[in-house]
Amino acid sequence: MEQSARPHGRADPAAIGSDFSEALIAGLSAPQKSIPSRFLYDAAGSALFEKITTLPEYYPTRTETDILRYQAEEIAAIVPAGAVLVEFGSGSSTKTELLLERMDKLHAYVPIDISSAALRDAKARIAERFPELLVMPIEADFAQPIVMPPEFSARPLFGFFPGSTIGNSRPIDAVALLASMRRTLGPDAHLIIGADLKKNVRRLLAAYDDADGVTAAFNLNLLARANRELGANFKLDQFKHSATYDMRNGRIDMHLVSLREQWVDVGGHRFHFDAGEQIHTEHSHKYEIEGFHTLVSEAGWRPQVVWTDAERLFSVHVLIADV
Ligand code: TRP
């Protein structure tokens, strides 16, 4: 465990466990059942997600990585000497290395993630590769307000939020999240953010329902996790993964669908499922560049640069905190 993470993050595993149980019971009690998507990323889920990022159908990771690799020099030129790079939902920190390679005047790197295993691995790898760089992980849910270590308060903070994770919030929540990041990062902040673009629906659907079933396993891990951690009795072969595109809202919706009428016990509660009933687990919103600019402006960020790939699949933006 990273000692430095404790004072800043919500790192008490018991608290996280009861959080899951409360959220699951509340989510399954509502007329439209749902499970909050942050619970997808336990150790097993984080490993499955890493596998998703390498699938042929899942274009976002490699497209964004190519854009970052191509623009790394230009990004590094914007980052002032002595700055701190703060990554929201850092996972394996793979894309970050492309930036760190060029940012030789950086003071520190602060990866924020809810997976302590992912933070531990990333810290070890990055500290070894960049021995001069201070690496200070924070184990926390980035959707909660984050308190930066006070020793960084006088330094320019550079946020990094790749992966189109912003698309996993509804626009109204995305604005609140971006405003909260702006408060976390302070008045002179920049934010580098990836946003997936609208495109051919078949291409989108394939990215969220791959032929090898890795995405299905990732989604179903929510139920497996409930069985492991909370003693629930979900029968994993009685639910299936589904991904659909909602044209009106411009988003992929992920569900777990009950394959028959059934009952499931979770922590002393019984839940009834109709055949075909869905548990909503994730949204993934797709943007047009103009619409994304409007969204970030509402959160107090000014678009400075945007890059896309040749096929216009994905966009990477540099934003400046508006004063
Ligand atoms: N940020 C990723 C995205 O929206 C998360 C993601 C990819 C995801 N595949 C998923 C979430 C499948 C749930 C299920 O692209």
Side-chain angles (χ1 to χ4, degrees):
M1 254 322 304
E2 286 73 23
Q3 298 302 318
S4 55
R6 292 283 181 181
H8 306 287
R10 302 182 317 158
D12 178 1
I16 289 171
S18 71
D19 183 26
F20 183 34
S21 139
E22 264 171 45
L24 187 63
I25 289 164
L28 296 181
S29 302
Q32 160 66 69
K33 293 182 172 69
S34 68
I35 305 175
S37 59
R38 66 179 184 280
F39 297 109
L40 286 162
Y41 299 92
D42 65 347
S46 296
L48 284 165
F49 185 70
E50 286 307 315
K51 218 159 152 190
I52 289 176
T53 64
T54 67
L55 294 170
E57 296 95 330
Y58 195 71
Y59 62 85
T61 307
R62 59 170 186 280
T63 310
E64 184 181 44
T65 303
D66 286 347
I67 297 172
L68 289 171
R69 184 178 294 122
Y70 203 70
Q71 306 297 347
E73 195 97 32
E74 197 165 332
I75 294 170
I78 305 172
V79 179
V84 176
L85 186 70
V86 179
E87 182 168 0
F88 299 94
S90 49
S92 65
S93 298
T94 311
K95 294 165 193 161
T96 327
E97 287 194 58
L98 292 170
L99 301 183
L100 294 177
E101 273 168 27
R102 308 295 170 108
M103 295 180 174
D104 46 4
K105 307 258 173 359
L106 201 65
H107 175 66
Y109 169 51
V110 179
I112 302 170
D113 207 274
I114 41 176
S115 167
S116 56
L119 283 174
R120 197 186 331 107
D121 294 352
K123 181 180 171 162
R125 205 184 64 243
I126 288 181
E128 185 176 313
R129 183 148 179 226
F130 304 95
E132 312 281 271
L133 185 70
L134 184 61
V135 182
M136 226 196 240
I138 297 182
E139 185 183 335
D141 175 2
F142 62 72
Q144 308 295 320
I146 308 279
V147 182
M148 274 300 121
E151 60 268 38
F152 296 157
S153 59
R155 295 181 177 272
L157 299 186
F158 227 89
F160 185 38
F161 192 33
S164 200
T165 308
I166 192 64
N168 300 130
S169 299
R170 279 174 303 179
I172 186 169
D173 300 322
V175 170
L177 177 56
L178 290 168
S180 145
M181 289 177 176
R182 193 171 143 272
R183 282 191 296 277
T184 298
L185 297 173
D188 295 321
H190 286 75
L191 181 64
I192 308 168
I193 182 167
D196 196 15
L197 298 174
K198 290 197 167 140
K199 63 183 59 63
N200 175 286
V201 173
R202 252 186 304 139
R203 180 121 200 215
L204 278 174
L205 289 173
Y208 293 90
D209 195 4
D210 62 280
D212 283 350
V214 183
T215 306
F218 176 59
N219 200 2
L220 283 159
N221 177 56
L222 280 169
L223 307 184
R225 181 179 179 182
N227 290 350
R228 280 194 301 271
E229 290 182 20
L230 310 174
N233 62 353
F234 285 102
K235 295 194 186 75
L236 298 189
D237 58 353
Q238 295 301 338
F239 288 86
K240 80 164 196 304
H241 165 71
S242 123
T244 54
Y245 188 66
D246 173 346
M247 195 69 86
R248 196 169 61 89
N249 291 301
R251 70 183 186 214
I252 293 279
D253 285 314
M254 245 82 64
H255 292 98
L256 293 164
V257 185
S258 174
L259 292 176
R260 57 167 167 97
E261 205 229 309
Q262 57 185 317
W263 291 87
V264 177
D265 301 299
V266 185
H269 298 250
R270 298 210 87 185
F271 296 100
H272 178 261
F273 291 86
D274 288 327
E277 188 172 352
Q278 303 187 332
I279 309 172
H280 183 267
T281 57
E282 183 70 299
H283 297 298
S284 187
H285 292 78
K286 307 303 166 188
Y287 287 97
E288 262 143 16
I289 286 171
E290 205 176 313
F292 193 69
H293 280 173
T294 308
L295 182 98
V296 303
S297 307
E298 284 169 24
W301 290 99
R302 186 157 36 86
Q304 185 182 20
V305 203
V306 55
W307 298 291
T308 65
D309 54 296
E311 282 186 274
R312 286 181 87 83
L313 297 175
F314 200 92
S315 63
V316 174
H317 304 248
V318 179
L319 313 176
I320 306 184
D322 233 342
V323 277

